[in-house]
Amino acid sequence: FIFAFSNINAQLLNFMSNQFVTCGYHITTDPHFQDKKFGITPELSHQMEPLFHEVNDRKNTKIIDKLTKLIIQYPTVPILKNYLSVAYNVRGNHAKSVEVNNWLISEHPDYLFALINQANVCIENQDYDKVPKLLGDALEIKQLYPERDLFHLTEITGYYKVIIRYLLAIENCDLAENRFEILKKIAPDHH
């Protein structure tokens, strides 16, 4: 499956209604496609994008309390816990960010962004051998989630960014370049 991406232009079959197909799975930009799976109500769904921006605003001093209250109200929603972890990290509290992410993984062990966060911590700590255990030996998202056929673009970009970071850390520059080319083709306008 790793090598199937080498000719991704032939693999990109079509864009239609905000999703496209590549290498046996679809990529969507619909932010609501997993709302039901994660227990996101319509009321909470309307808050998600503004929350994302608040989490990343370093000057917002109230977001931690706001997220904590939302987590109490919606305890089964992993995205809120991920946002809390990110909020702590953005505000420089790395230890609390890791603590929240560990809690997130314990409650939602298959939640991709928790795995990505943990992989980034492993890379920072030079625990490189743990990364394939978290993200799959083939370093391909479809191997990690064989039952899924649809992924959000942010899942794909987040996954590939940490994979590229890992590959560079272990000095596998050829495979890192391969994954970077895939990422550029999938999300050419992504920062």
Side-chain angles (χ1 to χ4, degrees):
F1 198 78
I2 294 171
F3 303 109
F5 276 101
S6 62
N7 188 7
I8 197 153
N9 284 335
Q11 301 285 331
L12 294 176
L13 300 176
N14 61 355
F15 276 92
M16 53 189 210
S17 67
N18 76 353
Q19 68 176 266
F20 64 94
V21 181
T22 182
C23 264
Y25 59 85
H26 298 258
I27 300 173
T28 184
T29 56
D30 176 6
H32 306 290
F33 90 99
Q34 292 194 91
D35 282 3
K36 185 175 179 180
K37 174 183 176 182
F38 291 131
I40 298 173
T41 64
E43 176 186 278
L44 181 58
S45 181
H46 293 297
Q47 297 179 59
M48 296 310 287
E49 186 174 347
L51 280 172
F52 173 80
H53 295 292
E54 291 178 56
V55 163
N56 288 291
D57 177 3
R58 292 174 195 248
K59 295 176 186 174
N60 186 327
T61 58
K62 298 181 181 189
I63 190 62
I64 303 273
D65 289 337
K66 184 176 185 177
L67 287 168
T68 302
K69 289 175 185 172
L70 284 169
I71 290 167
I72 292 168
Q73 186 177 355
Y74 301 99
T76 62
V77 179
I79 298 163
L80 294 172
K81 295 168 191 142
N82 183 53
Y83 280 3
L84 183 61
S85 177
V86 172
Y88 278 116
N89 196 51
V90 165
R91 284 151 189 79
N93 193 340
H94 186 69
K96 190 67 174 177
S97 175
V98 170
E99 179 185 324
V100 170
N101 195 67
N102 289 338
W103 169 46
L104 173 57
I105 287 176
S106 72
E107 290 193 0
H108 309 277
D110 293 329
Y111 183 64
L112 178 62
F113 291 107
L115 299 175
I116 289 170
N117 294 342
Q118 186 66 36
N120 276 312
V121 169
C122 290
I123 293 166
E124 289 168 17
N125 294 333
Q126 298 181 355
D127 291 330
Y128 304 128
D129 59 321
K130 293 180 181 177
V131 174
K133 293 173 186 166
L134 289 165
L135 301 178
D137 291 329
L139 305 178
E140 175 47 53
I141 198 166
K142 184 65 176 167
Q143 180 212 19
L144 191 60
Y145 297 102
E147 74 287 354
R148 288 185 57 188
D149 293 321
L150 183 62
F151 296 91
H152 194 272
L153 184 61
T154 58
E155 291 178 299
I156 299 297
T157 56
Y159 185 84
Y160 275 114
K161 284 194 283 188
V162 73
I163 293 299
I164 292 165
R165 192 167 176 237
Y166 162 71
L167 291 168
L168 290 172
I170 64 167
E171 299 181 7
N172 188 337
C173 296
D174 290 339
L175 196 50
E177 181 67 30
N178 171 271
R179 296 307 163 87
F180 183 65
E181 290 303 317
I182 294 167
L183 185 57
K184 285 191 329 188
K185 290 175 182 173
I186 289 172
D189 297 327
H190 191 275
H191 65 277

